[in-house]
Amino acid sequence: MSQAQAPEIISLSAEKLEELLASLQKLLPEGMYRQVAGLLKTLQWVMGLIEKKKTTISRLQRLIFGAKTEKTATVFPKESSPAKEKSKAKGHGRKGANDFPGAQIKSVEHPELKAADPCPACEKGKVYLLPPSKIVRITAQPLFPATIHELARLRCNLCGKVFTAPAPAEAVLGKYDPKVGLMLGLMRFGSGLPHYRMEKMQKDLGVPLPQSTQWELMEQSAKDLDPIARELATVAAAGELLHNDDTTMRVQSLKKEKAGSKRTGIFTTSIVAKVGDHQVALFFTGGNHAGENLDLILKNRAVGLDKPIQMCDALSRNPSKEFEVLLANCLPHGRRGFVDVAENFPVQCQRVLENLGQVFKNDAETKKLNLDPPQRLRFHQEQSGPIMKALHEWLTEQMDQKKVEPNSGLGEAIAYMLNHWEPLTLFLRVAGAPLSNNICERALKMAILHPKNPLGYKTQNGARVGDLFMSLIHTCRLNGANPFDYLSALQRHASAVKANPSQWLPWNYTKAQVTLAPG
């Protein structure tokens, strides 16, 4: 069998590729064009990494297919030992009745006995109530079930007058329950379920819900949520710790507006602020970088407050440009540079990863001990300080004594750590400074679902609605509140929310509901 010939290698500049894509967009259906454009851009990105020698085969595999873990034990596996049978976790993954707070509860009375009745077994004692035995039953139904109210009609055979049965109270409230828009927002922006998939599923189950209708209902619901979105931004401005990061996004109308401008990129920024015992998540989609969106929030920060800690990665577009902050950089980002070149420099990288691994273990210990920020700072200074000092000396020695080629992968990883050493080690000097930006990166996964599905936004208004839902949903999750219950409460009490939004935040809205309850 003859070996297949290698294809002709064709390289296109970024400008030429955009011209090609513009031509293809006119010829191909939208869905097919998105797939072709994605494939061509992926190929150009991979070829660029290889051409610049910025990657290894193992790193390229992780970038394209993802890595299950970057733990040191995985990067440097130890010699295999006889496999031990892994014990199953208690419960084997089963869920008890207490794990279903959203379930409807139906009480079933004993058909023959009630409290204080004589015992039918011994006939001497009296029975008393125990906590009820619980059985969970889960049924299937469309995401959005429909009810058809058939109103009986009767006509007089003499005068012809028609008599129609009165409609139930819920039937006269409109075709769509107001909560349908909220659930659509939760499914679309909280779980990344596209409108066209919901439309297809609802049609298959006999309850049609077109995409256009979904959007109208969701946009209408978003109007009741606007006051809280603005209030959350005000609350976040007072945060003592603010995480920020961004990811690329697609907004069709903005892409057309930006054609030919200096900055053509479109991004979704995530900001997670710690304010006392609570956390606030905010999302912003548009042409601004993460640092610029952070500045928009900090403009509302009250005068006299201490400088906030800002945690981000070391990209120049992430830090605040207009306000003084205590800048912290993500230590796992610095660590990742060594993970990427561990295959080529195993001895040096293993030392770094083991040192940093001990620091992360120390941080986990502070959480286990439930230390407050000053106690955590002292713990890190005593336990992690000597490790980081020795690591800094070793990294400096590698560069100063030319033990490492500066342009190599290892040299670049060391240079990154040394160039950003101060913000990378802020946790050793400032109480409350975190080691990583993981909480913000996890938040961004909500936005990453949109282009990944693939989705995106058609207009800036669509992006605004998405940002609003994601901000409220993720803030609920961070504070242990039920997102659907919370959004429903905001909609049900829209007037009260608009009048006093500070009383309707995810951590205090239940108290506000109690004050409005009758009686």
Side-chain angles (χ1 to χ4, degrees):
M1 183 181 293
S2 60
Q3 187 176 1
Q5 292 184 347
E8 179 186 357
I9 306 299
I10 300 177
S11 298
L12 293 178
S13 64
E15 292 77 13
K16 291 291 184 182
L17 178 60
E18 289 298 327
E19 291 177 7
L20 175 62
L21 292 176
S23 301
L24 290 174
Q25 191 171 17
K26 300 175 183 177
L27 302 174
L28 299 175
E30 183 179 353
M32 185 180 295
Y33 167 75
R34 286 204 303 266
Q35 292 180 330
V36 172
L39 288 171
L40 290 175
K41 289 182 178 180
T42 299
L43 180 60
Q44 184 188 49
W45 172 70
V46 171
M47 292 180 67
L49 286 175
I50 296 173
E51 182 180 1
K52 296 177 182 178
K53 299 180 180 180
K54 292 288 186 182
T55 190
T56 62
I57 295 298
S58 59
R59 180 170 185 252
L60 198 56
Q61 287 177 325
R62 288 194 296 274
L63 287 172
I64 295 175
F65 303 109
K68 292 183 178 179
T69 178
E70 293 182 355
K71 291 182 177 180
T72 305
T74 304
V75 179
F76 296 105
K78 296 181 180 179
E79 293 183 5
S80 59
S81 56
K84 296 181 180 179
E85 185 178 351
K86 188 176 181 180
S87 59
K88 292 184 178 180
K90 185 177 180 181
H92 309 291
R94 299 189 185 98
K95 299 288 187 182
N98 293 333
D99 296 316
F100 294 85
Q104 180 184 4
I105 297 176
K106 291 187 176 181
S107 298
V108 181
E109 300 297 331
H110 196 284
E112 299 173 355
L113 295 174
K114 60 181 181 297
D117 281 355
C119 173
C122 69
E123 298 182 352
K124 295 180 180 180
K126 293 184 178 182
V127 297
Y128 61 92
L129 289 175
L130 292 172
S133 176
K134 298 180 181 180
I135 299 175
V136 177
R137 176 171 171 77
I138 300 175
T139 58
Q141 66 174 27
L143 275 175
F144 301 94
T147 301
I148 298 177
H149 298 271
E150 294 186 339
L151 309 181
R153 296 195 304 164
L154 303 96
R155 172 182 289 172
C156 174
N157 67 346
L158 185 61
C159 70
K161 184 174 178 61
V162 176
F163 302 89
T164 303
E170 66 271 16
V172 299
L173 297 176
K175 183 175 182 179
Y176 296 98
D177 184 276
K179 292 183 180 180
V180 172
L182 299 178
M183 181 59 79
L184 285 166
L186 185 59
M187 298 301 297
R188 169 67 171 82
F189 298 109
S191 300
L193 186 61
H195 293 304
Y196 70 89
R197 290 183 187 168
M198 287 190 276
E199 177 182 20
K200 184 177 180 180
M201 180 169 60
Q202 287 292 129
K203 183 179 180 181
D204 290 342
L205 296 173
V207 186
L209 192 60
Q211 294 185 55
S212 57
T213 302
Q214 292 179 41
W215 171 253
E216 290 172 3
L217 295 171
M218 200 167 57
E219 185 180 29
Q220 182 63 39
S221 295
K223 294 178 181 178
D224 295 329
L225 310 180
D226 269 330
I228 287 296
R230 293 192 293 271
E231 182 65 20
L232 286 178
T234 301
V235 173
E240 60 266 23
L241 168 62
L242 298 105
H243 298 254
N244 72 322
D245 200 357
D246 58 25
T247 186
T248 56
M249 187 50 62
R250 182 171 62 250
V251 182
Q252 295 180 20
S253 62
L254 278 182
K255 186 176 181 180
K256 294 177 182 178
E257 292 176 12
K258 285 175 164 288
S261 61
K262 291 183 178 180
R263 184 190 292 181
T264 59
I266 301 170
F267 311 91
T268 291
T269 293
S270 170
I271 297 175
V272 179
K274 182 179 183 300
V275 190
D277 295 331
H278 308 295
Q279 292 176 314
V280 174
L282 301 172
F283 292 85
F284 303 92
T285 298
N288 285 350
H289 288 151
E292 293 167 334
N293 284 319
L294 180 65
D295 284 336
L296 292 177
I297 295 298
L298 291 178
K299 284 181 179 178
N300 296 318
R301 188 175 179 85
V303 178
L305 291 178
D306 293 337
K307 297 177 186 177
I309 300 170
Q310 184 205 342
M311 163 56 76
C312 60
D313 63 39
L315 288 176
S316 60
R317 68 192 193 194
N318 287 338
S320 170
K321 302 296 190 300
E322 300 180 22
F323 299 90
E324 292 187 26
V325 298
L326 301 173
L327 183 63
N329 281 162
C330 182
L331 196 56
H333 272 77
R335 179 186 182 277
R336 192 165 297 140
F338 296 93
V339 172
D340 291 338
V341 298
E343 185 178 346
N344 297 329
F345 304 93
V347 176
Q348 299 94 325
C349 291
Q350 185 168 6
R351 173 192 173 128
V352 176
L353 297 185
E354 289 178 349
N355 285 168
L356 295 180
Q358 186 56 54
V359 173
F360 291 126
K361 287 180 181 178
N362 291 342
D363 198 54
E365 185 67 18
T366 65
K367 296 175 183 176
K368 188 185 299 183
L369 296 173
N370 198 26
L371 303 183
D372 62 25
Q375 291 171 331
R376 173 180 175 271
L377 175 61
R378 288 194 296 271
F379 185 92
H380 269 304
Q381 288 174 337
E382 295 172 1
Q383 303 296 327
S384 304
I387 298 173
M388 295 302 289
K389 180 181 179 182
L391 178 60
H392 185 267
E393 292 173 351
W394 183 83
L395 293 172
T396 303
E397 179 184 311
Q398 304 307 300
M399 301 299 282
D400 290 350
Q401 298 185 16
K402 303 188 184 302
K403 294 182 179 181
V404 175
E405 168 59 44
N407 293 326
S408 67
L410 179 60
E412 291 180 353
I414 293 175
Y416 178 94
M417 289 285 287
L418 293 176
N419 291 340
H420 304 286
W421 190 259
E422 289 301 309
L424 285 171
T425 58
L426 187 70
F427 68 95
L428 294 174
R429 299 184 301 279
V430 176
L435 273 67
S436 76
N437 201 29
N438 288 348
I439 189 173
C440 193
E441 293 177 359
R442 287 195 295 269
L444 274 178
K445 288 182 179 179
M446 294 181 70
I448 292 171
L449 284 173
H450 305 331
K452 189 176 181 180
N453 268 331
L455 292 171
Y457 302 105
K458 287 185 178 180
T459 65
Q460 182 68 68
N461 180 54
R464 180 192 64 81
V465 171
D467 292 339
L468 187 153
F469 271 105
M470 288 193 296
S471 297
L472 270 62
I473 291 168
H474 199 59
T475 300
C476 283
R477 290 171 176 170
L478 290 173
N479 293 278
N482 183 310
F484 186 64
D485 285 350
Y486 178 61
L487 298 180
S488 300
L490 297 183
Q491 185 180 69
R492 189 165 55 251
H493 304 290
S495 299
V497 172
K498 185 176 182 180
N500 195 356
S502 64
Q503 299 300 313
W504 291 89
L505 298 169
W507 49 86
N508 63 11
Y509 80 101
T510 54
K511 294 180 180 178
Q513 288 190 106
V514 171
T515 61
L516 292 179

